[in-house]
Amino acid sequence: MNYQEAMQFINSYTKSGGKVRNLSRAEKLMKNLSDPHKNLKVVHIAGTNGKGSVLEYMSQSLINAGYKTGQFTSPFIRVYEDRIRINSENISQDDVAGLCTQVAAAAGDDEYSQFEITMAIALLYFAREKCDIVFLEAGIGGVFDSTNVVEEPLVSVITSVSVDHTALLGNTIEEIAMQKAGIIKNNRPAVVSWNNQDIMDIFSKECILKNSELIVPSSTEFSDIETNIDGGKFVYKGNEYKVKMHGRHQIVNAASAIKALEVLRNQGFEISDEHIKNALGEVQVLSRVEIIKGNPDIIIDGGHNPAGISALLSTLMSMEIKNAVFIFGMVDTKDIESSAKFVSAFAKAVICVDGFIQGAVEKTKLAEYFQCEKYVADTSEAFVLAKMAARKHDATIVICGSLYMTENFRKLIEGQK
């Protein structure tokens, strides 16, 4: 199987696969591949928002400390290989092809999802390369997410939980929290983000049932918090930490990462404060309040649900950005009405787009949700309109609504440069 054949094989599966009622399908695939995950030391990360940021803060700290570090994330931003990395270097296309050949032989006729197939490739790769530690980001939920085949994680980390993927996880935040709590394992510590206070009893009960230590960063432990145009900073245990990524939510993410890294320290990993400080100060995840300086300035953010968009708007305010023109697209499984309501209250103008992925809301229909100056356009026209509107309102351009659309505009911006 060459790379093109491997991608055809992966894309022959749907994003969701057959209906999932338990982990038996993923467990069968792992067993057919000789259970590569059982030879790995894994940090398992779930949550609605913030998973990718916490993963990058933690994994970069381990890279800084000299450990061979596997990183599995989703979705990809630029190319498929983004999702599977060692020490932040993408898996090669040749390795994708070779490992996919093994996975294809093991998969048989079962209705796997693209995510399950990709996870299998990743775990084979990390095991073959003898990674010292692997950071594994859950896809959707926790209980029945295929990454939950990992039985004894070094630590489970649950980031900010909000209402999303309701068709699969439930309609209330409590139902969704119960799904996320599924990654908490017997006798293994769990770190839960401090902004989950309203549902913390769900995680607390799960930890009691599993005899797991619950570790919750306290906002009182992390003092002197500031966020501004340069990112953010805070003090923890007498040390000042600077965070390159923007927004108070990144301070929350950094706090969860630090607490989880302390768990790893207690398990024998040699991670210094400097390793962590350098990681927080250098990590910039693509499409997380990513600033591209120019005339006008452009901010790209993957916020794709009300909680994510609310965090983005709070960040813009902390950066003292008062005028913003939005290029906005969304997929039809999200809470469009609430998201558009938040953006309408802040935006000087919104340009609605579609066509960036199957399931994207048709741009004319999307525009109906906005109560502000609004336009509809395709990708190239949207950028032209946004520049015109930005000049009119002396505004920053903000591109958000779906991670799937951000790369289209990144390519356009880089091409114009």
Side-chain angles (χ1 to χ4, degrees):
M1 195 181 274
N2 60 31
Y3 178 74
Q4 288 71 29
E5 290 167 337
M7 294 312 300
Q8 287 174 2
F9 172 77
I10 294 165
N11 291 325
S12 71
Y13 293 92
T14 64
K15 288 190 178 298
S16 57
K19 189 171 179 62
V20 176
R21 295 180 175 85
N22 52 49
L23 289 172
S24 60
R25 193 171 74 197
E27 288 170 344
K28 178 183 176 183
L29 182 58
M30 289 296 101
K31 184 177 180 181
N32 290 345
L33 293 167
S34 301
D35 290 324
H37 60 296
K38 293 185 178 180
N39 297 316
L40 296 169
K41 295 180 179 180
V42 174
V43 174
H44 198 187
I45 304 174
T48 308
N49 295 307
K51 299 189 297 292
S53 297
V54 170
L55 183 147
E56 296 297 339
Y57 290 144
M58 291 190 70
S59 60
Q60 188 59 54
S61 297
L62 268 293
I63 293 167
N64 290 349
Y67 290 96
K68 191 172 188 178
T69 304
Q71 301 152 289
F72 177 72
T73 58
S74 65
F76 69 84
I77 302 297
R78 292 196 153 181
V79 293
Y80 174 81
E81 298 80 63
D82 286 352
R83 303 178 65 170
I84 304 169
R85 293 169 290 140
I86 293 178
N87 289 1
S88 296
E89 291 292 328
N90 290 0
I91 185 173
S92 71
Q93 292 186 354
D94 285 345
D95 281 326
V96 169
L99 294 168
C100 190
T101 302
Q102 290 181 244
V103 173
D109 296 326
D110 287 325
E111 281 189 87
Y112 291 107
S113 65
Q114 291 178 15
F115 185 87
E116 287 168 316
I117 297 296
T118 300
M119 182 195 76
I121 294 170
L123 293 174
L124 280 175
Y125 182 54
F126 298 145
R128 189 193 75 187
E129 296 300 315
K130 295 181 170 55
C131 286
D132 299 315
I133 188 169
V134 168
F135 291 86
L136 199 62
E137 179 184 338
I140 296 175
V143 175
F144 299 139
D145 189 85
S146 62
T147 58
N148 212 28
V149 296
V150 173
E151 297 172 346
E152 296 183 343
L154 299 173
V155 58
S156 300
V157 184
I158 299 174
T159 62
S160 176
V161 176
S162 60
V163 176
D164 200 2
H165 297 292
T166 54
L168 295 172
L169 303 181
N171 293 314
T172 68
I173 193 168
E174 289 79 12
E175 290 174 320
I176 293 168
M178 290 177 69
Q179 291 291 322
K180 308 293 185 185
I183 74 164
I184 297 171
K185 298 294 169 48
N186 291 325
N187 304 306
R188 309 308 300 165
V191 173
V192 179
S193 170
W194 87 51
N195 56 359
N196 289 318
Q197 286 300 333
D198 291 345
I199 48 174
M200 195 61 71
D201 61 322
I202 291 171
F203 302 117
S204 178
K205 289 175 183 175
E206 190 69 15
C207 285
I208 291 169
L209 288 171
K210 299 283 181 63
N211 193 34
S212 301
E213 181 187 5
L214 174 62
I215 302 164
V216 182
S218 167
S219 56
T220 58
E221 290 180 282
F222 294 81
S223 62
D224 300 319
I225 295 171
E226 293 181 27
T227 58
N228 52 47
I229 192 67
D230 297 318
K233 61 182 179 179
F234 59 89
V235 173
Y236 175 64
K237 291 185 176 179
N239 289 321
E240 182 176 89
Y241 293 82
K242 293 182 179 180
V243 181
K244 183 176 182 178
M245 290 202 285
H246 294 80
R248 189 178 178 86
H249 58 290
Q250 290 297 351
I251 305 296
V252 176
N253 291 335
S256 295
I258 288 172
K259 284 295 188 180
L261 287 164
E262 288 181 341
V263 171
L264 297 183
R265 266 184 187 162
N266 293 336
Q267 294 176 357
F269 287 87
E270 297 181 1
I271 313 160
S272 71
D273 291 342
E274 286 304 310
H275 294 143
I276 300 171
K277 285 182 181 181
N278 290 338
L280 300 187
E282 66 193 23
V283 163
Q284 172 62 65
V285 184
L286 291 177
S287 297
R288 270 67 165 192
V289 194
E290 183 183 355
I291 301 172
I292 300 174
K293 300 298 289 184
N295 184 23
D297 290 343
I298 301 167
I299 293 175
I300 302 177
D301 188 75
H304 54 274
N305 53 40
I309 290 170
S310 177
L312 167 62
L313 299 181
S314 295
T315 302
L316 296 179
M317 287 187 281
S318 74
M319 295 167 67
E320 299 185 355
I321 294 174
K322 299 176 181 177
N323 298 334
V325 170
F326 285 72
I327 299 175
F328 196 88
M330 217 165 189
V331 297
D332 56 14
T333 56
K334 304 299 180 181
D335 184 350
I336 305 163
E337 184 174 2
S338 298
S339 300
K341 185 177 180 180
F342 287 153
V343 173
S344 293
F346 191 92
K348 293 296 182 181
V350 175
I351 297 96
C352 296
V353 298
D354 60 15
F356 48 88
I357 194 173
Q358 185 178 359
V361 181
E362 197 277 321
K363 55 183 177 286
T364 304
K365 181 179 179 181
L366 182 61
E368 294 174 1
Y369 287 94
F370 288 91
Q371 304 300 316
C372 60
E373 183 181 325
K374 56 191 177 184
Y375 310 89
V376 296
D378 63 24
T379 299
S380 57
E381 291 173 340
F383 200 49
V384 173
L385 278 172
K387 283 186 172 182
M388 292 173 62
R391 283 193 286 269
K392 172 183 174 183
H393 296 289
D394 190 23
T396 299
I397 296 174
V398 179
I399 302 170
C400 70
S402 173
L403 268 171
Y404 293 111
M405 65 175 276
T406 58
E407 184 57 19
N408 291 343
F409 285 97
R410 189 191 314 283
K411 288 177 181 176
L412 188 62
I413 293 163
E414 291 177 353
Q416 292 190 356
K417 282 186 176 181

